[in-house]
Amino acid sequence: SLQDKNALHLYSVNGKYLGSETLKEEVSDMCVTGEFIVMGSLQGFLSIRDLYSLSLSISPLAMRLPIHCISVTKEYSHILVGLEDGKLIIVGVGKPAEV
């Protein structure tokens, strides 16, 4: 965060700069799983971005409270979201028939 601007920067394992994306929210936690970055913000949005292009995979989901932590299950079937008020939100991943 620099002067109220937040950005996500992508580097290769060798340290080569690959790109960046300006963010509207302040990231509180993130998790890299497979080919995706799952991020939670202090503004209460859960975002899923493509790891290589940094573009949004889906529209951000509003949780209405600041997100404190994020975890993805081992099978990549659910996202666990811890909110500021202590609630745990479980978000199913995939098509509705699969969830």
Side-chain angles (χ1 to χ4, degrees):
S1 179
L2 180 62
Q3 297 176 347
D4 297 326
K5 292 187 180 182
N6 299 294
L8 184 63
H9 300 282
L10 181 65
Y11 291 87
S12 72
V13 291
N14 296 327
K16 181 181 176 187
Y17 176 77
L18 300 175
S20 66
E21 185 72 30
T22 303
L23 303 174
K24 295 176 184 171
E25 303 96 27
E26 187 176 347
V27 177
S28 56
D29 195 17
M30 72 169 43
C31 183
V32 177
T33 52
E35 297 181 3
F36 297 97
I37 302 170
V38 181
M39 299 187 315
S41 71
L42 292 178
Q43 288 73 25
F45 290 99
L46 177 68
S47 305
I48 301 173
R49 294 182 173 270
D50 181 79
L51 180 60
Y52 304 107
S53 69
L54 300 180
S55 62
L56 284 170
S57 296
I58 61 165
S59 301
L61 300 171
M63 297 289 147
R64 299 194 175 134
L65 288 170
I67 296 173
H68 278 241
C69 61
I70 290 178
S71 183
V72 178
T73 59
K74 187 169 49 172
E75 301 82 21
Y76 306 119
S77 60
H78 295 84
I79 300 171
L80 309 174
V81 182
L83 302 180
E84 181 180 54
D85 65 353
K87 290 181 182 169
L88 176 67
I89 305 296
I90 301 172
V91 180
V93 178
K95 298 174 184 165
E98 298 172 354
V99 175

mmCIF file of all heavy atoms in Angstrom, residues 33 71-78 80:
data_model
loop_
_atom_site.group_PDB
_atom_site.id
_atom_site.type_symbol
_atom_site.label_atom_id
_atom_site.label_comp_id
_atom_site.label_asym_id
_atom_site.label_seq_id
_atom_site.Cartn_x
_atom_site.Cartn_y
_atom_site.Cartn_z
ATOM 1 N N THR A 33 -3.616 -21.252 -4.482
ATOM 2 C CA THR A 33 -4.011 -22.650 -4.648
ATOM 3 C C THR A 33 -4.068 -22.964 -6.128
ATOM 4 O O THR A 33 -4.831 -22.342 -6.866
ATOM 5 C CB THR A 33 -5.384 -22.931 -4.032
ATOM 6 O OG1 THR A 33 -6.316 -21.985 -4.528
ATOM 7 C CG2 THR A 33 -5.359 -22.858 -2.538
ATOM 8 N N SER A 71 -8.678 -19.802 4.011
ATOM 9 C CA SER A 71 -8.041 -21.097 3.811
ATOM 10 C C SER A 71 -8.851 -21.862 2.772
ATOM 11 O O SER A 71 -10.056 -21.682 2.659
ATOM 12 C CB SER A 71 -7.996 -21.878 5.127
ATOM 13 O OG SER A 71 -7.315 -23.096 4.944
ATOM 14 N N VAL A 72 -8.166 -22.702 2.017
ATOM 15 C CA VAL A 72 -8.826 -23.535 1.012
ATOM 16 C C VAL A 72 -8.622 -24.986 1.420
ATOM 17 O O VAL A 72 -7.525 -25.380 1.828
ATOM 18 C CB VAL A 72 -8.247 -23.275 -0.393
ATOM 19 C CG1 VAL A 72 -8.894 -24.156 -1.432
ATOM 20 C CG2 VAL A 72 -8.418 -21.803 -0.776
ATOM 21 N N THR A 73 -9.692 -25.788 1.329
ATOM 22 C CA THR A 73 -9.592 -27.198 1.725
ATOM 23 C C THR A 73 -8.637 -27.951 0.803
ATOM 24 O O THR A 73 -8.370 -27.527 -0.317
ATOM 25 C CB THR A 73 -10.977 -27.871 1.709
ATOM 26 O OG1 THR A 73 -11.517 -27.782 0.399
ATOM 27 C CG2 THR A 73 -11.905 -27.239 2.718
ATOM 28 N N LYS A 74 -8.153 -29.069 1.294
ATOM 29 C CA LYS A 74 -7.171 -29.866 0.560
ATOM 30 C C LYS A 74 -7.691 -30.313 -0.805
ATOM 31 O O LYS A 74 -6.944 -30.400 -1.763
ATOM 32 C CB LYS A 74 -6.787 -31.083 1.415
ATOM 33 C CG LYS A 74 -5.664 -31.895 0.844
ATOM 34 C CD LYS A 74 -5.123 -32.933 1.809
ATOM 35 C CE LYS A 74 -6.177 -33.779 2.450
ATOM 36 N NZ LYS A 74 -5.629 -34.900 3.232
ATOM 37 N N GLU A 75 -8.985 -30.573 -0.909
ATOM 38 C CA GLU A 75 -9.582 -31.029 -2.169
ATOM 39 C C GLU A 75 -9.986 -29.864 -3.064
ATOM 40 O O GLU A 75 -10.564 -30.078 -4.118
ATOM 41 C CB GLU A 75 -10.826 -31.883 -1.884
ATOM 42 C CG GLU A 75 -10.576 -33.105 -1.041
ATOM 43 C CD GLU A 75 -10.541 -32.785 0.459
ATOM 44 O OE1 GLU A 75 -11.081 -31.737 0.882
ATOM 45 O OE2 GLU A 75 -9.951 -33.579 1.200
ATOM 46 N N TYR A 76 -9.721 -28.616 -2.646
ATOM 47 C CA TYR A 76 -10.106 -27.391 -3.370
ATOM 48 C C TYR A 76 -11.622 -27.300 -3.568
ATOM 49 O O TYR A 76 -12.094 -26.693 -4.523
ATOM 50 C CB TYR A 76 -9.414 -27.289 -4.737
ATOM 51 C CG TYR A 76 -7.919 -27.410 -4.693
ATOM 52 C CD1 TYR A 76 -7.261 -28.427 -5.367
ATOM 53 C CD2 TYR A 76 -7.149 -26.514 -3.963
ATOM 54 C CE1 TYR A 76 -5.886 -28.544 -5.333
ATOM 55 C CE2 TYR A 76 -5.776 -26.627 -3.917
ATOM 56 C CZ TYR A 76 -5.152 -27.635 -4.598
ATOM 57 O OH TYR A 76 -3.793 -27.746 -4.550
ATOM 58 N N SER A 77 -12.392 -27.877 -2.670
ATOM 59 C CA SER A 77 -13.846 -27.887 -2.828
ATOM 60 C C SER A 77 -14.528 -26.748 -2.080
ATOM 61 O O SER A 77 -15.651 -26.371 -2.424
ATOM 62 C CB SER A 77 -14.417 -29.217 -2.347
ATOM 63 O OG SER A 77 -14.110 -29.422 -0.980
ATOM 64 N N HIS A 78 -13.865 -26.182 -1.067
ATOM 65 C CA HIS A 78 -14.461 -25.124 -0.267
ATOM 66 C C HIS A 78 -13.414 -24.090 0.142
ATOM 67 O O HIS A 78 -12.240 -24.430 0.312
ATOM 68 C CB HIS A 78 -15.120 -25.682 0.998
ATOM 69 C CG HIS A 78 -16.282 -26.565 0.713
ATOM 70 N ND1 HIS A 78 -16.146 -27.896 0.410
ATOM 71 C CD2 HIS A 78 -17.608 -26.289 0.666
ATOM 72 C CE1 HIS A 78 -17.344 -28.418 0.196
ATOM 73 N NE2 HIS A 78 -18.241 -27.470 0.345
ATOM 74 N N LEU A 80 -12.713 -21.417 3.200
ATOM 75 C CA LEU A 80 -13.094 -21.065 4.563
ATOM 76 C C LEU A 80 -12.679 -19.621 4.823
ATOM 77 O O LEU A 80 -11.521 -19.262 4.627
ATOM 78 C CB LEU A 80 -12.403 -21.994 5.558
ATOM 79 C CG LEU A 80 -12.551 -23.494 5.279
ATOM 80 C CD1 LEU A 80 -11.705 -24.292 6.247
ATOM 81 C CD2 LEU A 80 -13.998 -23.912 5.330
#
